[in-house]
Amino acid sequence: MQVVKNIFIGLLVFWFALLLFMPKEKLYYALEKELETQGVKINEKAIETGIFSLNLIDADVYYRGIKAVHIDKINIFTLLFTSNINIKGLRVDDSLKKFLPQKIDRGNISHVFYDPMHMNIVASGSFGEMEGIVDLKNRTLHLDFNSTTNEMDLLRGHLKKGEKGLYYETSF
């Protein structure tokens, strides 16, 4: 029994040390470099690291050289077996307001190790409430919108009517 206890404590210390000493900023810069190959560039004012997280403060996101959104704060949190990206204060650039909802107050993208091919999305903003799933294996995105606001009129042409209400679905 003592051997099992020592192995468990050793694994716990290894896990904590891995998270503590993980080069979070270098991993973020590698992700940023990969996104640039897709035409996405992120300019952040500041980067803060924590034991389990990395925060991007005042980030502007550009797509193929055109400013798309400004995000007040992005928090990337991981415990290795689960990861979350929390977004606060996303505002769409004025040039895209005709095509997209103006503001997302809060958003969350989560991923767990036991379901590696799916990511869950939850968001709320000027369009109301939204939840969805990204299927990485089939390369699809499905978003369900739970309310109808005036901002939904912008999206209505891209949305379909389903059992739960309006939804958006695409492949990538």
Side-chain angles (χ1 to χ4, degrees), residues 11-28:
L11 288 173
L12 190 62
V13 168
F14 174 75
W15 169 79
F16 185 76
L18 182 66
L19 288 173
L20 182 64
F21 297 114
M22 184 171 36
K24 296 167 194 75
E25 283 189 46
K26 287 186 180 183
L27 290 170
Y28 167 69

Side-chain angles (χ1 to χ4, degrees), residues 92-106:
V92 173
D93 190 67
D94 289 339
S95 62
L96 299 172
K97 286 183 181 177
K98 292 181 182 178
F99 308 106
L100 297 170
Q102 248 181 318
K103 187 176 178 187
I104 295 178
D105 298 319
R106 291 183 324 270

Side-chain angles (χ1 to χ4, degrees), residues 77-101:
F77 176 85
T78 187
L79 295 175
L80 298 181
F81 53 85
T82 183
S83 297
N84 287 297
I85 299 173
N86 291 299
I87 298 168
K88 290 183 182 174
L90 184 145
R91 290 181 305 282
V92 173
D93 190 67
D94 289 339
S95 62
L96 299 172
K97 286 183 181 177
K98 292 181 182 178
F99 308 106
L100 297 170

Side-chain angles (χ1 to χ4, degrees), residues 105-170:
D105 298 319
R106 291 183 324 270
N108 177 277
I109 302 169
S110 60
H111 183 262
V112 290
F113 80 97
Y114 57 82
D115 192 9
M117 290 290 125
H118 294 97
M119 295 188 315
N120 294 311
I121 301 171
V122 177
S124 64
S126 60
F127 55 86
E129 302 284 326
M130 182 267 300
E131 59 185 45
I133 191 161
V134 178
D135 186 334
L136 298 171
K137 182 178 180 184
N138 297 320
R139 300 178 57 94
T140 60
L141 168 69
H142 180 91
L143 302 174
D144 291 311
F145 292 87
N146 298 331
S147 64
T148 56
T149 65
N150 291 341
E151 290 241 355
M152 291 300 292
D153 292 338
L154 297 173
L155 299 173
R156 205 166 297 281
H158 302 285
L159 301 177
K160 297 176 184 167
K161 185 87 167 141
E163 295 174 9
K164 296 181 182 178
L166 296 174
Y167 72 93
Y168 175 77
E169 199 165 56
T170 189

Side-chain angles (χ1 to χ4, degrees), residues 23-45:
K24 296 167 194 75
E25 283 189 46
K26 287 186 180 183
L27 290 170
Y28 167 69
Y29 289 129
L31 172 66
E32 197 174 55
K33 191 174 183 178
E34 180 62 31
L35 287 172
E36 276 190 51
T37 65
Q38 304 296 319
V40 177
K41 183 158 177 48
I42 303 172
N43 287 339
E44 67 284 329
K45 195 175 275 185

